[in-house]
Amino acid sequence: MRLLILGTGGMANSHAQAFAKIDGVEMVAAVDVDPSRARGFADMHGIARIFTSLEDAIAWGEFDAVTNVTPDKAHHPTTLALIAAGKHVLCEKPLAESYDKAAEMADAAERSGLVNMVNLTYRNVAPLQRARELVLAGEIGRVRHLEASYLQSWLVSKAWGDWASESKWLWRLSTKHGSNGVLGDVGIHILDFAGYGAGSAVERVFARLKAFDKAPDNRIGEYDLDANDSFAMTAEFENGAMGVIHASRWATGHLNELRLRLHGDKGALEVIHTPDGSRLKACLGADVEKAIWRELDAGTVPTNYQRFAEAVAAGQTVEPTFRHAANLQKVLDVAIETERERRELDVADALSIEEERAVVGG
């Protein structure tokens, strides 16, 4: 697979490092609007060719697949152009800023027959994969209740850098810079984490979003700090389970923690993932009576990067696909609408909600 890397910001380094370890993958070019950044990235990862526009790269055309690591608002136009050019695409999350755009991308990918995947990175967490297997095998019985959280502390800690002076953080706090806040940024991760682990999708949702004061007039330079910093959501899943899902960038003491608790009528599971590692705990069988929890070995699983390379080699798309990410985006869009309307909404009504808003002028 001849791979082009589109976008050479921080996350692109993780992509390049991962693909460099995969046999049969050759990183042939990098694209970034900033030539100095593109050159520095290419030199770091041993990539021979750079481009400062996607159009020039497509005109060159000597690549089979692309990993799209551009900012969120660029995913839609760049990915559609790549699909039109006949290139397989691994796109960073979220797929797009809205369901309409994400669905358009999914439609285009499905019509093309090209391999399409979204880099929902926490699919790489082996305990999550093992938890799903146990749920689908009926080991915890019928899932009744779940709790899921994604906790970050970069608004109260400089462990990842100074958010107030670095554009790579500030844009995530500004809606006019394409951010849907913590809901749009990591909400898609925790929704996927919860739904994948539970073996079911969200059917109904109600969410509250909040942007806290962070600077005088909530503005730093060109950035209006109006995107949500925290969200709390209640959800009902297609399998009948009730869930509580929340995320925050104000989670003091938690650099980057995902946690999922699954409670069934025969047992329970807990998945915890942090920068230090991940683990799976279970309360099953006779242990249920006295609430005894035991740690389980989850083994290892292939990464999204490995699975994408294998999918391209086989010419067969694998999960998580553009369609899956679009469906997650629909839940996020509906969550935003529930904040506006202050009422629970059915995810299946997402399109009619948008049409209704258009008719009444938003």
Side-chain angles (χ1 to χ4, degrees):
M1 182 176 76
R2 298 172 299 170
L3 181 70
L4 180 141
I5 299 181
L6 177 61
T8 61
M11 188 62 186
N13 290 300
S14 297
H15 284 238
Q17 290 163 7
F19 279 115
K21 299 174 183 177
I22 302 173
D23 290 341
V25 174
E26 179 187 5
M27 293 181 287
V28 296
V31 182
D32 199 294
V33 294
D34 183 334
S36 61
R37 184 167 60 193
R39 174 49 61 198
F41 176 86
D43 289 345
M44 180 186 302
H45 298 289
I47 299 171
R49 189 181 294 266
I50 66 166
F51 296 93
T52 55
S53 78
L54 179 58
E55 293 77 12
D56 289 345
I58 289 174
W60 172 62
E62 298 298 315
F63 57 98
D64 308 301
V66 178
T67 186
N68 190 339
V69 207
T70 57
D72 297 356
K73 64 182 179 181
H75 291 174
H76 175 260
T78 56
T79 297
L80 289 179
L82 289 164
I83 291 171
K87 308 301 181 183
H88 307 289
V89 182
L90 171 66
C91 187
E92 262 303 324
K93 60 77 200 168
L95 188 57
E97 315 103 289
S98 69
Y99 171 68
D100 287 345
K101 289 182 177 180
E104 183 182 1
M105 295 163 73
D107 289 343
E110 290 167 359
R111 286 194 302 267
S112 73
L114 294 164
V115 172
N116 61 95
M117 281 184 65
V118 176
N119 192 32
L120 293 165
T121 52
Y122 298 108
R123 290 289 184 94
N124 301 333
V125 175
L128 178 66
Q129 299 273 358
R130 181 62 179 143
R132 176 182 171 86
E133 291 174 0
L134 292 169
V135 168
L136 295 180
E139 292 296 321
I140 68 169
R142 290 168 291 186
V143 182
R144 296 302 199 194
H145 185 82
L146 68 83
E147 308 162 65
S149 61
Y150 194 143
L151 304 179
Q152 295 181 327
S153 60
W154 57 264
L155 283 174
V156 291
S157 167
K158 293 184 173 60
W160 289 9
D162 184 358
W163 68 266
S165 62
E166 299 180 26
S167 61
K168 68 178 180 179
W169 303 113
L170 284 168
W171 81 264
R172 297 177 185 274
L173 306 174
S174 174
T175 57
K176 76 177 183 181
H177 286 80
S179 176
N180 281 327
V182 71
L183 179 72
D185 189 16
V186 305
I188 192 167
H189 274 314
I190 196 60
L191 278 172
D192 185 64
F193 206 77
Y196 187 73
S200 187
V202 171
E203 187 173 63
R204 296 184 64 82
V205 64
F206 176 68
R208 293 296 304 273
L209 317 176
K210 186 163 185 176
F212 294 89
D213 292 339
K214 294 177 284 295
D217 299 321
N218 272 320
R219 184 180 179 85
I220 296 177
E222 65 180 280
Y223 299 93
D224 293 319
L225 310 182
D226 60 344
N228 60 86
D229 306 318
S230 294
F231 78 81
M233 176 189 297
T234 56
E236 185 171 354
F237 288 74
E238 291 175 353
N239 64 4
M242 292 294 295
V244 180
I245 304 169
H246 66 100
S248 181
R249 292 167 173 156
W250 292 98
T252 305
H254 298 273
L255 289 179
N256 193 69
E257 179 194 276
L258 289 87
R259 186 184 296 257
L260 173 63
R261 294 187 177 103
L262 298 164
H263 306 280
D265 58 4
K266 293 182 179 178
L269 300 167
E270 181 178 48
V271 180
I272 304 172
H273 178 74
T274 73
D276 296 326
S278 55
R279 66 183 189 271
L280 171 64
K281 296 194 300 180
C283 180
L284 302 171
D287 289 338
V288 169
E289 194 64 32
K290 294 186 178 180
I292 297 171
W293 288 78
R294 303 180 193 275
E295 194 154 331
L296 302 183
D297 182 5
T300 59
V301 295
T303 67
N304 286 344
Y305 310 104
Q306 292 170 309
R307 294 173 62 246
F308 178 68
E310 291 168 359
V312 170
Q316 182 68 49
T317 291
V318 296
E319 291 288 346
T321 63
F322 282 13
R323 181 64 61 189
H324 175 73
N327 290 338
L328 289 177
Q329 190 62 48
K330 182 188 292 187
V331 178
L332 298 180
D333 286 4
V334 175
I336 293 172
E337 193 66 27
T338 66
E339 166 70 13
R340 293 192 184 104
E341 298 196 14
R342 296 298 173 93
R343 66 185 178 96
E344 183 184 67
L345 292 172
D346 193 310
V347 173
D349 293 336
L351 292 180
S352 61
I353 290 168
E354 291 303 315
E355 290 166 0
E356 179 182 334
R357 291 186 63 216
V359 169
V360 300

